[in-house]
Every structure is written in structure tokens, then in C-alpha cells.
Amino acid sequence: MQITTTGLVLREIKTGEADRILTVFTQDYGVITAIAKGSMRMKNKLFHATSLFCYSEFILYEGKSMYTVNEASVKEVFFGLRNRVEAVALAMYLAELTSTVSLERTDAKAQLKLLLNAFYFISENKRPLQYIKAVYELRTLSETGYMPDLVACKDCAQYEGGKFYFDLLEGYLLCQSCAIKRGKEPNLDPAALAAMRHIIFVEPAKLYAFTLPNLALMNLYLIVDGYTLNQIDKPLKTRDFLLSVLPNLINEETT
Ligand SMILES: [Zn+2]
């Protein structure tokens, strides 16, 4: 059977003489595996459209174990992803996170949009990479069944005021006084909490429409990183490399 769909190439493995086996996040079929024969040759018609992080329209043949790419045409190339190692590292990490959590998704279209949006912000260098990582992780987890309960303090229903404790394992909040009663150290700044609520509840188009001072951003980054690590089954393979190349947030200019 032949199908047509658009998708983002999340991963490529070279095989044979000039073939690529692709992991493609498609809007209609979720994450699929497809072979693009001969696509490593620069003159091959599939060369560009089946490259890593290319967003393309695909015509695919459904085979027994995987799809075969018949035709592909480029819709969008994230050129800004290719020049900076830390940008590539984050894109690879987000791609792996997506393949990890999206397997049971039904609404691949919304998730694909979210990822394309993140790639756009990475590529255009419009936000610190830590910001993009935290936004994408928290929104993705929230939409795939791991939404933390950020409404109010679990014990007394206080909504805001001072630092809160956020439980990285179970994803609940405690206000400062309830945290102290339970022997927990408040770990979440008010600005980072407001940002987390924004990321979870805002309409997709406004996801990146907030700013944070760098210290609060660092707090957001660390909290969401810890929460993500605890929610997924095993650490992502791309994480260590990403952490080794991320620039120091505190020395960066605020956007
Ligand atoms: Zn409380």
C-alpha cells in the first residue's frame, strides 16, 4: 500500500552502500521506520528530503518490517540547527524524547507541531537552549499522560506566595509552610512556578511567549530536567552529550 504523509526525520542510520534507515515522525502515522534507498548519494533524488531534521512530504510504500521511501520533497530545512553543536545536541535529545513518549500517542499532529516549533526556536537561536528544553519537555510530558499537578499546594490549597516545593517524582506542589511541616526543602521559585503553569496550560501558539530572569530560568531548567528524568523509564542516550555541550546559562545574556 502506498501512503502520503508529511514528517520530520528524527534519526538516520547508514546502511548498505548508500542507503539510510530513517526514523520519521509523521503527522498521520506517528513515529515510523523507513528505508531510503540510495539516499546517501548526493545526486539521488531523495538525498536532501531524507536528511536528518528535514521536514518533508513523503510517499511511502508499506512493507513487512518497514516502509520504503518512494518519493520525498523538502518542506522545511532548519539550517540554523546545523552550525552549532549544542543546537544539534538539543535537537537530537528532543527527537529521542519524542520517540520515547510518542509511541502510544493518537494525536501525532499536535506533537509534531510542538517539535517543529521547538526546532524553529533552536534554529533561529531565539531563546536559550535550556529554555527550549524545559518548555518542550514539560509540555510534551503534560500531553502524554505525565502532567504534574500545579494547581495549588497539595495540603492546604495555597495557590501562590513565596517558594514552593515541587516533588520531582510525583509532580505535586507544597507551599513553603506545608513543605517545612513535611521536612521538604522548597525548591521552586515563584517565577519558575508561574512559567511551569504557563507551559502546561497556555495555547500552543503562545508557548514561547514568556521571559524569565536567568536565575529563575536555571531553576525552571533544573526542576523540569529532574521531573523528566523521573517520569521516563530510562535516561535518554543523547542526554549526557547534550549536558556536556550546553553553554553556561548564567554567563549568557538574557533574551
Ligand atoms: Zn500548603
Side-chain angles (χ1 to χ4, degrees):
M1 195 181 79
Q2 186 169 289
I3 59 168
T4 303
T5 187
T6 55
L8 180 62
V9 179
L10 296 186
R11 207 164 154 237
E12 58 174 12
I13 298 169
K14 290 158 197 171
T15 181
E17 249 177 52
D19 305 341
R20 290 174 173 133
I21 293 177
L22 310 174
T23 303
V24 186
F25 187 20
T26 66
Q27 68 165 24
D28 302 299
Y29 305 92
V31 176
I32 61 154
T33 307
I35 185 160
K37 289 185 182 153
S39 66
M40 295 293 297
R41 292 195 185 95
M42 288 189 71
K43 285 185 179 168
N44 188 278
K45 62 174 182 170
L46 300 177
F47 177 78
H48 289 291
T50 60
S51 298
L52 187 63
F53 303 143
C54 226
Y55 179 52
S56 304
E57 184 161 301
F58 292 92
I59 297 176
L60 305 162
Y61 250 128
E62 191 172 0
K64 276 186 187 137
S65 60
M66 66 174 79
Y67 291 88
T68 301
V69 181
N70 261 6
E71 286 177 44
S73 53
V74 176
K75 283 176 77 81
E76 176 121 38
V77 183
F78 298 97
F79 287 109
L81 273 182
R82 298 184 173 179
N83 315 325
R84 294 181 301 148
V85 64
E86 62 271 26
V88 175
L90 179 57
M92 290 177 73
Y93 173 85
L94 298 187
E96 190 185 1
L97 176 66
T98 307
S99 326
T100 305
V101 299
S102 298
L103 294 175
E104 296 155 46
R105 287 197 59 76
T106 46
D107 190 5
K109 215 174 238 179
Q111 186 64 37
L112 177 59
K113 243 183 179 170
L114 200 62
L115 186 58
L116 288 169
N117 204 16
F119 275 22
Y120 168 79
F121 276 92
I122 299 171
S123 181
E124 298 293 308
N125 204 8
K126 281 182 183 286
R127 296 284 185 281
L129 296 174
Q130 284 89 345
Y131 175 118
I132 300 167
K133 177 175 181 287
V135 167
Y136 187 79
E137 283 174 328
L138 186 55
R139 183 72 180 212
T140 296
L141 290 175
S142 298
E143 294 196 0
T144 51
Y146 306 97
M147 185 187 279
D149 182 4
L150 298 181
V151 176
C153 170
K154 187 183 166 183
D155 286 358
C156 75
Q158 186 183 320
Y159 176 73
E160 58 191 349
K163 277 186 111 172
F164 273 68
Y165 167 78
F166 177 72
D167 193 275
L168 296 177
L169 259 183
E170 294 180 32
Y172 62 80
L173 288 175
L174 293 174
C175 73
Q176 191 148 8
S177 55
C178 292
I180 289 163
K181 271 183 221 158
R182 289 218 218 175
K184 308 278 193 191
E185 182 78 32
N187 57 3
L188 187 59
D189 294 341
L193 172 57
M196 286 175 79
R197 285 176 171 146
H198 172 95
I199 293 165
I200 287 178
F201 296 121
V202 79
E203 59 181 281
K206 293 183 180 163
L207 200 49
Y208 291 84
F210 71 95
T211 53
L212 275 182
N214 268 3
L215 273 178
L217 176 54
M218 198 66 194
N219 186 218
L220 171 75
Y221 165 76
L222 290 172
I223 289 284
V224 175
D225 183 63
Y227 182 65
T228 305
L229 265 183
N230 278 316
Q231 304 315 308
I232 54 181
D233 292 338
K234 48 180 194 240
L236 302 179
K237 286 182 209 134
T238 50
R239 184 169 179 275
D240 285 346
F241 179 62
L242 171 63
L243 297 195
S244 75
V245 294
L246 272 182
N248 190 339
L249 198 55
I250 303 302
N251 297 331
E252 267 194 359
E253 277 184 272
T254 324
T255 48

